[in-house]
Amino acid sequence: MKDVILGIDIGGTNTKFGFIDRDGIILTQGELPTTEGETVHDFLRILYAEVQAKYKKIEDEAKVVALGVGAPNGNFYTGTIENAPNLKWHGMVPLVELLQSYFKLPVYLTNDANAAAIGEMIYGGAKNMKNFVVVTLGTGLGSGIVVNGELVYGHDGNAGELGHTLVNVKGSGRVCGCGRRGCLETYVSATGIKRTVYKFLADYTDYSELRGVSFNDLTAEMITQAAKRGDKIAIDCFEYTGKVLGMKLADTVAHLSPEAIFLFGGLVRAEEFLFDPVRYHLEKNLLSIFKGKVKILPSGLGLNNTAVMGAAALAWKELERVPMA
């Protein structure tokens, strides 16, 4: 019987989980909407039931030894989710304590983007890199930063909030879930590009298959597919999104001088419609000493499993620090 980690990725929209061995092989996996239940307690009861149902398929061959969890505003030091703007659970949520009451196992929590960075470092495209950044483009925008081979947590566990750096510094930018205006994630994320589409539809008269689609029905995937079919509004929205992201990543390079920046999340499915403008505007805005040195790459773990595998990798790393009895 092999030891496995239960890796859990709590996103703003969906929560994914999987049972993962030391080699990064997922034995079985599942997902559910993060909006399930009225409270975090309701959600965890539903999650526990889903996990148990999946585990029954492998219980004869696998033993769960710990949980690794990635979540918005997940704090590695305190084991809490702290005022996550894209989750409906407000305030301080003692997630590690709550999960331990269900699973009776060690639980390790970090920011969802940090988990993605650990997964990229252990299993993905950053295996041989010591300095890189992972940017997650989901409901919001997160980032995990690795410097000299170590994940950067900062003094309080909250380092790496690139999504809440400012694009519009005049106080008149888009309203963010954090309560401020002009944050990067209001322009560059699945939600941000939806807002851009509606602005462009209002400002321009070009034909678009996206006209007539309500905001609630519109998805980033619909925008991606429209761009691939040649829809000008959709293409222009990706150009604008890539421009904003490229400009802000130039700041990140000035701070950190990474070897590569990995992009992960649903928007990555747009491929060259996103990557081309990001690369162009990054290079255009870089200080000369950094030009031509930083790679912009898609996650080496694919679109679906990066954060789950990263959460599992976090738990494996921590168990190595404190060997199991």
Side-chain angles (χ1 to χ4, degrees):
M1 181 173 290
K2 66 166 62 177
D3 290 344
V4 296
I5 296 291
L6 172 58
I8 302 174
D9 168 42
I10 299 175
T13 303
N14 293 307
T15 292
K16 300 178 181 180
F17 63 88
F19 297 91
I20 302 170
D21 69 13
R22 285 186 181 272
D23 297 320
I25 297 172
I26 300 178
L27 277 64
T28 188
Q29 58 189 315
E31 68 176 279
L32 69 158
T34 307
T35 52
E36 288 279 4
E38 291 301 314
T39 67
V40 66
H41 301 283
D42 296 333
F43 170 76
L44 291 178
R45 281 194 293 270
I46 297 167
L47 172 64
Y48 182 75
E50 292 284 336
V51 166
Q52 291 301 103
K54 290 290 184 181
Y55 181 58
K56 285 182 179 179
K57 298 179 179 180
I58 61 168
E59 60 183 350
D60 292 335
E61 59 177 304
K63 175 188 175 184
V64 181
V65 295
L67 280 68
V69 185
N73 288 24
N75 191 310
F76 176 78
Y77 294 149
T78 65
T80 60
I81 293 177
E82 302 179 8
N83 304 301
N86 294 316
L87 295 178
K88 67 178 183 179
W89 319 320
H90 301 297
M92 196 80 73
V93 179
L95 192 69
V96 167
E97 178 184 328
L98 293 173
L99 284 170
Q100 285 176 333
S101 71
Y102 279 95
F103 291 95
K104 316 300 182 188
L105 291 167
V107 180
Y108 304 98
L109 170 70
T110 192
N111 181 285
D112 50 344
N114 287 343
I118 296 173
E120 205 67 56
M121 179 167 54
I122 303 299
Y123 302 123
K127 277 185 180 179
N128 299 313
M129 295 182 187
K130 296 292 186 182
N131 296 275
F132 67 93
V133 177
V134 171
V135 177
T136 59
L137 305 173
T139 306
L141 185 151
S143 57
I145 298 168
V146 173
V147 174
N148 297 331
E150 292 292 333
L151 194 67
V152 176
Y153 284 114
H155 85 280
D156 62 352
N158 292 314
E161 288 292 344
L162 295 188
H164 296 286
T165 59
L166 295 178
V167 173
N168 188 315
V169 297
K170 297 180 180 179
S172 58
R174 296 177 181 178
V175 176
C176 182
C178 73
R180 302 187 306 164
R181 285 182 174 269
C183 289
L184 177 61
E185 75 170 36
T186 67
Y187 297 87
V188 183
S189 63
T191 308
I193 198 168
K194 286 173 57 176
R195 295 169 79 168
T196 299
V197 165
Y198 270 78
K199 183 179 189 308
F200 277 38
L201 289 173
D203 289 348
Y204 303 104
T205 59
D206 302 77
Y207 166 79
S208 174
E209 65 183 74
L210 302 175
R211 292 192 186 278
V213 181
S214 73
F215 187 84
N216 288 339
D217 291 336
L218 185 63
T219 65
E221 179 63 18
M222 291 169 64
I223 303 166
T224 294
Q225 293 306 317
K228 290 182 176 181
R229 287 190 288 267
D231 189 289
K232 187 177 186 305
I233 290 289
I235 293 170
D236 288 350
C237 286
F238 274 110
E239 173 67 32
Y240 177 78
T241 301
K243 176 181 179 180
V244 174
L245 181 56
M247 290 174 62
K248 291 301 293 183
L249 290 181
D251 293 342
T252 299
V253 171
H255 294 147
L256 301 169
S257 188
E259 178 179 348
I261 299 172
F262 293 87
L263 304 185
F264 163 69
L267 291 187
V268 174
R269 291 188 175 94
E271 300 172 329
E272 72 273 11
F273 293 105
L274 177 68
F275 280 88
D276 286 354
V278 170
R279 290 178 177 127
Y280 175 81
H281 290 285
L282 171 69
E283 286 294 324
K284 181 180 178 181
N285 289 280
L286 282 176
L287 189 65
S288 61
I289 59 173
F290 297 117
K291 287 184 180 292
K293 294 181 179 179
V294 184
K295 297 184 283 287
I296 302 293
L297 301 170
S299 169
L301 293 174
L303 292 175
N304 297 315
N305 300 321
T306 302
V308 172
M309 293 180 70
L314 166 70
W316 283 125
K317 285 190 70 174
E318 293 307 313
L319 288 177
E320 289 172 3
R321 295 182 202 272
V322 184
M324 291 176 287

